[in-house]
Short mmCIF file of all heavy atoms in Angstrom, two decimals:
data_model
loop_
_atom_site.label_atom_id
_atom_site.label_comp_id
_atom_site.label_asym_id
_atom_site.label_seq_id
_atom_site.Cartn_x
_atom_site.Cartn_y
_atom_site.Cartn_z
N MET B 1 33.38 8.50 18.85
CA MET B 1 32.40 7.71 19.41
C MET B 1 30.94 8.05 19.15
O MET B 1 30.65 9.30 19.04
CB MET B 1 32.67 7.60 20.94
CG MET B 1 31.85 6.66 21.74
SD MET B 1 32.24 6.80 23.44
CE MET B 1 30.83 5.95 24.23
N ILE B 5 22.22 6.55 22.17
CA ILE B 5 20.92 6.52 21.55
C ILE B 5 19.77 7.24 22.28
O ILE B 5 18.88 7.91 21.86
CB ILE B 5 20.51 4.94 21.17
CG1 ILE B 5 19.50 4.98 20.03
CG2 ILE B 5 19.86 4.32 22.38
CD1 ILE B 5 19.53 3.58 19.33
N LEU B 8 19.24 11.12 28.87
CA LEU B 8 18.32 11.95 29.62
C LEU B 8 19.19 12.60 30.71
O LEU B 8 19.88 11.88 31.51
CB LEU B 8 17.16 11.18 30.29
CG LEU B 8 16.34 10.37 29.42
CD1 LEU B 8 15.23 9.60 30.26
CD2 LEU B 8 15.71 11.26 28.31
N ASN B 10 19.30 15.26 33.97
CA ASN B 10 18.74 16.05 34.97
C ASN B 10 17.18 16.27 34.67
O ASN B 10 16.79 17.49 34.77
CB ASN B 10 19.47 17.39 35.11
CG ASN B 10 20.87 17.08 35.71
OD1 ASN B 10 21.06 16.13 36.61
ND2 ASN B 10 21.86 17.94 35.29
N LEU B 27 19.61 9.25 32.43
CA LEU B 27 19.78 7.87 31.77
C LEU B 27 20.57 7.95 30.60
O LEU B 27 20.19 8.84 29.71
CB LEU B 27 18.33 7.28 31.52
CG LEU B 27 18.27 6.01 30.62
CD1 LEU B 27 18.86 4.83 31.35
CD2 LEU B 27 16.83 5.66 30.16
N SER B 43 4.61 5.02 39.01
CA SER B 43 5.92 5.55 39.26
C SER B 43 6.44 6.36 38.16
O SER B 43 7.41 7.17 38.34
CB SER B 43 6.88 4.35 39.49
OG SER B 43 6.93 3.46 38.33
N GLY B 54 8.50 12.27 22.57
CA GLY B 54 8.05 13.75 22.41
C GLY B 54 6.58 13.93 22.49
O GLY B 54 5.98 14.83 21.90
N ARG B 55 5.98 13.12 23.33
CA ARG B 55 4.50 13.39 23.61
C ARG B 55 4.41 14.30 24.84
O ARG B 55 3.41 14.88 24.88
CB ARG B 55 3.86 11.95 23.94
CG ARG B 55 2.40 12.06 23.72
CD ARG B 55 1.72 10.65 23.76
NE ARG B 55 0.30 10.83 23.67
CZ ARG B 55 -0.41 10.83 24.68
NH1 ARG B 55 0.05 10.95 25.92
NH2 ARG B 55 -1.79 11.09 24.58
N VAL B 63 16.42 16.13 26.98
CA VAL B 63 16.10 14.65 26.42
C VAL B 63 16.74 14.63 25.11
O VAL B 63 16.41 15.45 24.14
CB VAL B 63 14.54 14.49 26.33
CG1 VAL B 63 14.26 13.14 25.74
CG2 VAL B 63 13.86 14.60 27.69
N GLU B 69 18.35 16.90 20.40
CA GLU B 69 17.61 17.21 21.62
C GLU B 69 16.15 17.40 21.22
O GLU B 69 15.79 18.19 20.34
CB GLU B 69 18.13 18.55 22.20
CG GLU B 69 17.42 18.82 23.49
CD GLU B 69 18.15 20.14 24.21
OE1 GLU B 69 19.22 20.56 23.81
OE2 GLU B 69 17.38 20.62 25.05
N ALA B 101 -1.86 -6.67 8.34
CA ALA B 101 -0.81 -6.44 7.41
C ALA B 101 -0.56 -4.95 7.23
O ALA B 101 0.68 -4.44 7.10
CB ALA B 101 -1.13 -7.01 6.00
N PRO B 107 4.90 1.83 9.49
CA PRO B 107 6.12 2.65 9.52
C PRO B 107 6.84 2.73 8.17
O PRO B 107 7.37 3.72 7.91
CB PRO B 107 6.90 1.84 10.52
CG PRO B 107 5.96 1.02 11.36
CD PRO B 107 4.89 0.75 10.42
N LEU B 122 7.14 -7.38 5.23
CA LEU B 122 5.90 -7.83 5.71
C LEU B 122 5.84 -9.27 5.80
O LEU B 122 5.49 -9.88 6.85
CB LEU B 122 4.70 -7.26 4.82
CG LEU B 122 3.35 -7.81 5.30
CD1 LEU B 122 2.95 -7.35 6.57
CD2 LEU B 122 2.29 -7.47 4.11
N ALA B 135 -3.07 -11.94 8.79
CA ALA B 135 -2.78 -10.85 8.01
C ALA B 135 -3.96 -9.94 7.55
O ALA B 135 -3.78 -8.66 7.61
CB ALA B 135 -1.91 -11.25 6.87
N MET B 149 1.71 -9.29 19.47
CA MET B 149 2.80 -9.85 18.40
C MET B 149 2.72 -8.84 17.19
O MET B 149 3.79 -8.56 16.47
CB MET B 149 2.37 -11.18 17.90
CG MET B 149 2.67 -12.36 18.84
SD MET B 149 4.40 -12.39 19.34
CE MET B 149 4.34 -12.87 20.94
N VAL B 150 1.59 -8.32 16.84
CA VAL B 150 1.55 -7.38 15.72
C VAL B 150 2.27 -6.15 16.07
O VAL B 150 3.01 -5.57 15.25
CB VAL B 150 -0.01 -7.11 15.35
CG1 VAL B 150 -0.07 -6.10 14.21
CG2 VAL B 150 -0.74 -8.37 15.01
N ALA B 155 6.88 -2.81 15.37
CA ALA B 155 8.09 -2.13 16.03
C ALA B 155 9.42 -2.40 15.35
O ALA B 155 10.49 -1.81 15.69
CB ALA B 155 8.07 -2.42 17.45
N ALA B 158 10.62 -1.77 10.23
CA ALA B 158 11.45 -0.77 9.56
C ALA B 158 12.80 -0.73 10.14
O ALA B 158 13.50 0.27 9.96
CB ALA B 158 10.71 0.66 9.64
N ILE B 163 13.45 0.36 20.38
CA ILE B 163 12.13 -0.13 20.67
C ILE B 163 11.78 0.13 22.11
O ILE B 163 12.46 -0.19 23.09
CB ILE B 163 12.12 -1.66 20.47
CG1 ILE B 163 12.49 -2.02 18.92
CG2 ILE B 163 10.69 -2.28 20.52
CD1 ILE B 163 12.72 -3.46 18.70
N PRO B 168 5.29 -5.31 28.82
CA PRO B 168 5.16 -6.33 27.88
C PRO B 168 4.76 -7.74 28.38
O PRO B 168 4.19 -8.53 27.79
CB PRO B 168 6.55 -6.42 27.27
CG PRO B 168 7.45 -6.06 28.29
CD PRO B 168 6.71 -5.05 29.19
N LEU B 169 5.03 -7.91 29.65
CA LEU B 169 4.92 -9.29 30.23
C LEU B 169 3.76 -9.59 31.03
O LEU B 169 3.49 -10.71 31.42
CB LEU B 169 6.32 -9.63 30.92
CG LEU B 169 7.58 -9.47 30.17
CD1 LEU B 169 8.71 -9.54 31.06
CD2 LEU B 169 7.68 -10.54 29.11
N ASP B 173 0.64 -15.92 29.34
CA ASP B 173 0.73 -17.27 29.78
C ASP B 173 2.21 -17.72 29.67
O ASP B 173 3.05 -17.03 29.09
CB ASP B 173 -0.05 -18.17 28.88
CG ASP B 173 0.33 -18.10 27.42
OD1 ASP B 173 1.22 -18.81 27.04
OD2 ASP B 173 -0.35 -17.40 26.79
N GLN B 178 7.62 -16.98 27.52
CA GLN B 178 8.93 -17.37 27.11
C GLN B 178 9.24 -17.02 25.76
O GLN B 178 10.39 -16.53 25.33
CB GLN B 178 9.00 -18.87 27.15
CG GLN B 178 10.40 -19.64 27.00
CD GLN B 178 11.43 -18.99 28.03
OE1 GLN B 178 11.08 -18.98 29.30
NE2 GLN B 178 12.49 -18.48 27.57
N LYS B 186 16.76 -11.78 21.38
CA LYS B 186 17.11 -11.86 19.94
C LYS B 186 17.36 -10.34 19.52
O LYS B 186 18.30 -10.07 18.82
CB LYS B 186 15.98 -12.44 19.10
CG LYS B 186 16.33 -12.61 17.67
CD LYS B 186 15.30 -13.41 16.95
CE LYS B 186 15.15 -13.18 15.52
NZ LYS B 186 13.94 -13.78 14.93
N SER B 193 18.58 -1.19 20.20
CA SER B 193 18.30 -0.90 21.70
C SER B 193 16.92 -1.06 21.98
O SER B 193 16.05 -0.95 21.16
CB SER B 193 18.86 0.54 22.02
OG SER B 193 20.25 0.59 21.65
N GLU B 200 7.30 -5.76 36.68
CA GLU B 200 7.90 -6.91 37.23
C GLU B 200 9.15 -7.24 36.28
O GLU B 200 8.90 -7.32 35.08
CB GLU B 200 7.02 -8.14 37.17
CG GLU B 200 5.86 -8.13 38.09
CD GLU B 200 5.00 -9.27 37.80
OE1 GLU B 200 5.32 -10.32 37.43
OE2 GLU B 200 3.69 -9.10 38.27
N GLU B 213 15.67 0.96 38.29
CA GLU B 213 14.38 1.06 38.99
C GLU B 213 14.02 2.59 39.14
O GLU B 213 14.76 3.35 39.55
CB GLU B 213 14.45 0.38 40.39
CG GLU B 213 13.13 0.24 40.97
CD GLU B 213 13.22 -0.23 42.47
OE1 GLU B 213 14.30 -0.64 42.79
OE2 GLU B 213 12.12 -0.31 42.98
#
Side-chain angles (χ1 to χ4, degrees):
Chain B
M1 190 179 158
I5 207 157
L8 306 179
N10 295 326
L27 172 68
S43 60
R55 203 171 175 269
V63 176
E69 188 176 343
L122 174 64
M149 289 300 152
V150 178
I163 303 172
L169 303 169
D173 60 83
Q178 192 54 52
K186 192 174 159 189
S193 296
E200 294 172 25
E213 186 187 353

